[in-house]
Amino acid sequence: MFSVYIQGLFMGASLIIAIGAQNAYVLVQALRRNHHFLLAGICALIDALLIAVGVLGVGTLVASSQALRLTAGLGGAAFLLWFGYGAAKAARAQNSMELNTALATNVSLKKTLLTLLAVSLLNPHVYLDTVVMLGAISGNYPGAGRYLFGAGAATASVIWFFSLAFFGSRLAPVFSRPRSWQILNLLVALMVWGVALGLLAGVWRDLTGTTV
């Protein structure tokens, strides 16, 4: 069952590690030592709550029906294979994280939190990734497996955001280099392809009653 937790960890990390407004904002505030650990905790909490909603809602629904498990397994595997291909393709691009220096000025805690909530919750992809995608994938793991998968995904969020907060001053120049994102994108591709293979193995197990 520990392997399920690791798959959740990898899957969560692959969806979180991306160039986006939320990551950039947390990193900038870490550079300024502006409530950065509080922001990291809130980001991780938001992800954990959304993942829980997905696992307990969509995941429970999927787990209750073999037809839904097969559909979610095949659909999820197809999506992850495509997602991994996109990450591998992006590794060839010269992407970097551009930190907006206008965001670097220390502001009140209230304004900082409101800005964080805006960049976190007004992005529709966060719901697709956590509630829908992670929730549906979790339903493919029998018994308590889906909870372990969700716990792994939530752990990835905790590790990532607190790493941004703690190592912010050192990570900023790293993330400004295209080579760093090329390596990260390759790692993301390998992680999601690994999870896709796990889903396909689950589909095979459901259809045949045997393990791969």
Side-chain angles (χ1 to χ4, degrees):
M1 295 295 281
F2 183 69
S3 63
V4 176
Y5 175 84
I6 295 299
Q7 289 185 54
L9 184 72
F10 284 170
M11 188 62 214
S14 68
L15 295 176
I16 295 167
I17 300 173
I19 301 176
Q22 185 188 49
N23 285 335
Y25 187 72
V26 173
L27 184 56
V28 167
Q29 301 311 315
L31 287 170
R32 300 296 298 176
R33 299 292 187 269
N34 185 38
H35 312 296
H36 49 300
F37 284 112
L38 176 61
L39 300 184
I42 291 174
C43 288
L45 178 61
I46 289 173
D47 279 354
L49 291 175
L50 292 176
I51 291 169
V53 169
V55 170
L56 296 174
V58 179
T60 299
L61 180 63
V62 169
S64 66
S65 166
Q66 184 185 42
L68 288 177
R69 286 198 306 272
L70 293 176
T71 301
L74 291 173
F79 170 80
L80 293 177
L81 290 172
W82 171 81
F83 187 89
Y85 169 76
K89 186 177 180 180
R92 301 177 58 186
Q94 298 296 308
N95 293 325
S96 62
M97 177 180 283
E98 297 181 4
L99 300 179
N100 187 347
T101 55
L103 295 175
T105 303
N106 286 349
V107 295
S108 68
L109 176 59
K110 179 180 178 180
K111 185 174 181 180
T112 299
L113 293 178
L114 288 175
T115 302
L116 178 71
L117 292 176
V119 299
S120 300
L121 298 176
L122 296 183
N123 177 8
H125 288 291
V126 70
Y127 303 101
L128 176 62
D129 291 344
T130 55
V131 178
V132 178
M133 180 54 60
L134 290 176
I137 291 175
S138 72
N140 287 273
Y141 298 96
R146 70 177 184 273
Y147 305 119
L148 286 173
F149 181 88
T155 300
S157 179
V158 172
I159 293 173
W160 174 252
F161 285 113
F162 277 96
S163 294
L164 284 181
F166 190 78
F167 298 108
S169 60
R170 295 183 180 180
L171 290 175
V174 173
F175 287 157
S176 67
R177 301 170 189 165
R179 176 64 65 182
S180 300
W181 286 103
Q182 290 176 327
I183 294 173
L184 277 176
N185 278 319
L186 284 175
L187 290 175
V188 165
L190 292 175
M191 287 190 293
V192 296
W193 283 338
V195 176
L197 291 177
L199 289 178
L200 291 175
V203 169
W204 178 263
R205 183 175 59 249
D206 253 358
L207 287 174
T208 66
T210 60
T211 57
V212 178

